[in-house]
């Protein structure tokens, strides 16, 4: 059974017709008409469609009699067998005004509600339910409070009708014509879209004033809901109207521009992209992707957010140098001249670069571009060497600093699904270069980091692998890009900080620190002219003599490169420029004394050789990040219990070298002329001065052993001789590194003779001839050879037997 919304209220002005409504009896026997999804109110005309068997049977019996029924609402919306327990106990006495069979088999009836009735008892029934019901009447005064409540309810109802899209406008007019408070509440309850339970609650409320209160609450809730719905609908409509307005305006603008002979900027941009794509030589995959994305762009509205994303992606594809190469100037003489003009020394590096150029001249582009790794201390010219390589071969130069990079996406880019995604720095620099064969410098490759966003070093594996970088894939571009023709040059300060898989892909070239002579040449040829030009002293006669530059190198800088040296020269030039700008006199020649006046007292002191031979003091040679230097080793003996003490911030390897030197001495004590029993009565203290500086490495083993043996035997050690080398427990001397720098440091300290391991003879080729001619170099295989060269004669026999004398001499 289906019921429609009521369409009419009939409030009689006089008594109803007695043939239709007998008002005299208080109780009546009535046929029950179940209503499934509506509640019938008094004085209401409602068309109802009947499909339920119980409702059809009740209608047929009522039509055979006086057409009067008791309309009761179901407690639940179910069809089938109906009992009194399934129905509410309060309903409305109604008269069937009309009944008609519909084509679909249902029956349509029109009910006219009369008065409220409550079931008193059930009667016997067969086809339809019969009950005895009593009328519910309420007689009350029409007070001022009720009149005020009616006005408030009418006002709320007016607002609801005005905002609602389902309530007819004449519903409010009908409410204005109802003077009865209960009837007004019934009218509004029948028209509001409220639940069956709420309608039944209004029907069961007998007191009109209370009924108005309930209706007022329901009207307030409905009004709040309608106002919210109206606001939402208004906002949506505004958005739709604005979009439609923009669309119409753009269409009108297109027509106006077409009439004026102008072109739409969006269409002009798309046409420009299309023409650029036609003129660009793209690989097959790149062209197919660009065509696809450009087709999407043409079918997309320019106001959508994705329009800018797709346009940026297409522009990146068109801006990359897919097939553009730079014609290389293959001229070995010119390349060598360029390298010599920009860098002094670095013969090994220059030779490797010239070899690459020579092979490229013979093999052409069939030869794979090398991946060089320039390793050396700060300030030796690693970064500037990359620019010189690019200028020497006539290629573009781009640089990417990797210091502090911790995100893998910095190398490979972000995927396009992320907001603000961009290609990685590799493709960004390739776009900047505009060619497939630039010189690409990856600076500070040993400063890469790793965190939760990935390891950038892993992303560089594909970039620097000649077997893979021909199809490098960036996350943003998602297309293979050829990096095989790029000349990659990486720089680092230390190899230990570079991951092994990444280091395996590079050819390592070590840049040693500059010698003092090389620093003098670099300062004279490059640093002084550059700082004079930077300070505006190009036309001013200002000369730096060799003694002045030597003073700056030795006393004001301590480095392997020339970065701080250039800063000090620049400081002198700026101070001179200030005096010129103030109109004061200024020096034309910078002397060593004037350097101290301008820069203050010397900051560093060069280690010098001892003035005389001493017992328990040997001179070693070290290689630091600032170059080579000498290192004294002191050994002191004290009465004790054989305890060995090591001081001077010695690293683990250096401490092990000291232990090895002591073990060798004890094992060969008899041959060395040392009483074995003395080791149990002496405490040995080995100290390396400048304790604030950490020291590490095995090359001090020879020096420690000589100083220890000197202290135990009472024999002096030559002060004009320095040594370096690792020793074993059997006294064999093993090779070490940094030979060139160590020899230069020894020469600077006033040393005339040095001792090196025999296997380091191959490293003497890199030592300048001028340095080798000023030094006497002894090559040894065993510690016995070292002792013969450095130890003085044994002390007299009585002194040798006196422990107190030995202790006094060692101090």
């Amino acid at each position: 059974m289906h019921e429609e919304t009521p369409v009419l209220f009939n409030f009689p002005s006089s008594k109803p017709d007695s043939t239709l409504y007998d008002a005299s009896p208080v109780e009546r026997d009535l046929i029950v008409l179940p209503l499934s999804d509506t509640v019938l109110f008094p004085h209401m005309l409602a068309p109802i469609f009947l499909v339920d068997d119980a409702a059809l049977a009740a209608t047929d019996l009522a039509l055979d009699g006086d057409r009067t029924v008791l309309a009761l609402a179901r407690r639940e919306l179910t069809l089938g067998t109906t009992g009194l327990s399934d129905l509410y106990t309060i309903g409305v006495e109604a008269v069937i005004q009309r009944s008609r069979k519909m084509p679909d088999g249902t029956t349509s009836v029109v009910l006219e509600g009369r008065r409220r009735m409550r079931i008193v008892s059930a009667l016997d029934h067969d086809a339809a339910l019969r009950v005895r019901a009593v009328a519910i009447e309420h007689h009350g005064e029409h007070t001022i409070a009720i009149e005020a409540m009616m006005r408030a309810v009418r006002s709320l109802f007016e607002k609801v009708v005005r905002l609602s899209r389902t309530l007819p406008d004449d519903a409010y007019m009908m409410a204005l014509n109802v003077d009865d408070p209960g009837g007004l509440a019934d009218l509004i309850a029948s028209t509001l879209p409220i639940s069956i339970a709420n309608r039944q609650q209004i029907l069961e409320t007998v007191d009109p004033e209370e009924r108005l209160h309930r209706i007022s609450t329901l009207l307030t809730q409905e009004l709040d809901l309608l106002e919210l719905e109206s606001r939402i609908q208004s906002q949506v409509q505004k958005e739709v109207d604005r979009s439609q307005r923009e669309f119409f305006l753009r269409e009108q603008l297109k027509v106006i521009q077409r009439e004026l002979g102008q072109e739409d900027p969006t269409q002009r941009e798309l046409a420009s992209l299309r023409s650029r794509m036609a003129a660009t030589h793209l690989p097959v995959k790149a062209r197919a992707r660009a065509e696809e994305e450009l087709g999407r762009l043409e079918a997309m509205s320019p106001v959508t957010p994705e329009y800018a994303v797709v346009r940026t992606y297409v522009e990146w594809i068109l801006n990359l140098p897919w097939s553009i190469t730079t014609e290389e100037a293959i001229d070995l003489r010119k390349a060598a001249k360029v390298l010599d003009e920009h860098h002094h020394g670095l013969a090994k590096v220059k030779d490797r670069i010239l070899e690459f150029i020579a092979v490229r001249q013979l093999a052409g582009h069939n030869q794979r571009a090398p991946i060089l790794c320039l390793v050396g201390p700060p300030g030796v010219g690693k970064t500037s060497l990359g620019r010189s390589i690019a200028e020497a071969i006539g290629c573009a130069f781009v640089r990417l600093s990797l210091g502090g990079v911790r995100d893998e996406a910095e190398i490979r880019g972000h995927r396009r699904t992320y907001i603000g995604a961009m290609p990685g720095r590799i493709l960004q620099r390739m776009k900047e270069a505009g060619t497939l064969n630039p010189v690409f410098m990856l600076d500070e490759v040993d400063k890469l980091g790793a965190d939760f966003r990935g390891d950038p070093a892993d992303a560089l594996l594909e970039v620097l692998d000649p077997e893979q970088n021909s199809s490098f894939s960036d996350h943003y571009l998602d297309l293979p890009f050829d990096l095989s023709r790029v000349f990659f040059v990486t720089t680092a300060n230390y190899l230990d900080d570079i991951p092994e898989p990444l280091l395996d892909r590079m050819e390592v070239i070590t840049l040693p620190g500059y010698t003092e002579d090389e620093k003098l040449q670099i300062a004279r040829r490059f640093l002084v002219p550059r700082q004079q030009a930077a300070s505006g002293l190009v036309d001013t006669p200002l000369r730096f003599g060799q003694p002045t530059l030597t003073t700056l190198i030795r006393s004001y800088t301590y480095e392997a490169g020339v970065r701080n040296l250039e800063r000090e020269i620049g400081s002198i030039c700026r101070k001179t420029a200030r005096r010129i700008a103030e109109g004061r006199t200024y020096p034309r020649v910078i002397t060593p004394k004037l350097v101290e006046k301008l820069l203050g007292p010397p900051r560093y002191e060069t280690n010098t050789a001892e003035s005389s031979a001493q017992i328990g003091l040997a001179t070693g040679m070290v290689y630091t990040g600032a170059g080579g230097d000498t290192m004294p080793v002191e050994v002191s003996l004290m009465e004790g219990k054989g305890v060995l003490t090591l001081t001077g911030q010695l690293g683990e390897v250096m401490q092990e070298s000291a232990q090895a030197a002591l073990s060798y001495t004890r094992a060969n004590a008899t041959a060395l002329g040392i009483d074995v029993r003395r080791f149990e009565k002496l405490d040995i203290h080995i100290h390396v001065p400048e304790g604030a500086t950490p020291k590490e490495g095995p090359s001090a083993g020879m020096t420690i052993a000589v100083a220890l043996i000197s202290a135990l035997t009472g024999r002096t050690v030559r002060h004009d001789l320095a040594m370096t080398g690792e020793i074993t427990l059997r006294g064999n001397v093993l090779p070490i590194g940094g030979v060139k720098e160590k020899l230069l440091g020894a020469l600077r300290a006033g040393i005339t003779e040095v001792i090196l391991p025999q296997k380091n003879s191959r490293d003497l080729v890199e030592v300048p001839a001028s340095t080798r001619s000023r030094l006497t170099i002894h090559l040894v295989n065993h510690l016995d050879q070292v002792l013969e060269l450095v130890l003085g004669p044994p002390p007299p026999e009585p002194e040798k037997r006196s422990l107190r004398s030995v202790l006094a001499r060692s101090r």
Side-chain angles (χ1 to χ4, degrees), residues 21-69:
Y21 172 44
D22 185 7
S24 59
V26 179
E27 294 184 358
R28 293 196 65 185
D29 295 340
L30 297 172
I31 300 171
V32 176
L33 177 62
L35 304 180
S36 295
D37 55 357
T38 191
V39 174
L40 186 68
F41 286 90
H43 311 294
M44 182 177 80
L45 291 175
I48 301 174
F49 291 93
L50 306 177
V51 294
D52 184 55
D53 294 339
L56 290 172
T59 302
D60 293 339
L61 288 176
L63 290 175
D64 292 340
D66 59 357
R67 293 175 174 254
T68 304
V69 294

Side-chain angles (χ1 to χ4, degrees), residues 15-16 21-28 42-43 90-91 93 114-118 133-141 180 182 186 203-208 211:
K15 283 187 178 182
Y21 172 44
D22 185 7
S24 59
V26 179
E27 294 184 358
R28 293 196 65 185
H43 311 294
I90 295 179
E93 180 186 25
R114 292 297 187 185
R115 56 183 176 178
R116 286 175 170 81
M117 302 286 286
R118 184 178 68 247
V134 62
I136 304 175
E137 297 179 356
H138 182 275
H139 301 284
E141 296 182 0
D180 179 50
D186 292 342
L203 181 65
E204 293 179 357
T205 304
V206 179
D207 185 4
R211 206 182 310 165

Side-chain angles (χ1 to χ4, degrees), residues 650-669:
L650 308 184
E652 292 184 3
V653 176
M654 199 167 182
Q655 293 180 25
E656 292 172 357
S657 298
Q659 293 284 355
L662 178 60
S663 298
Y664 172 82
T665 304
R666 295 185 64 175
N668 299 273

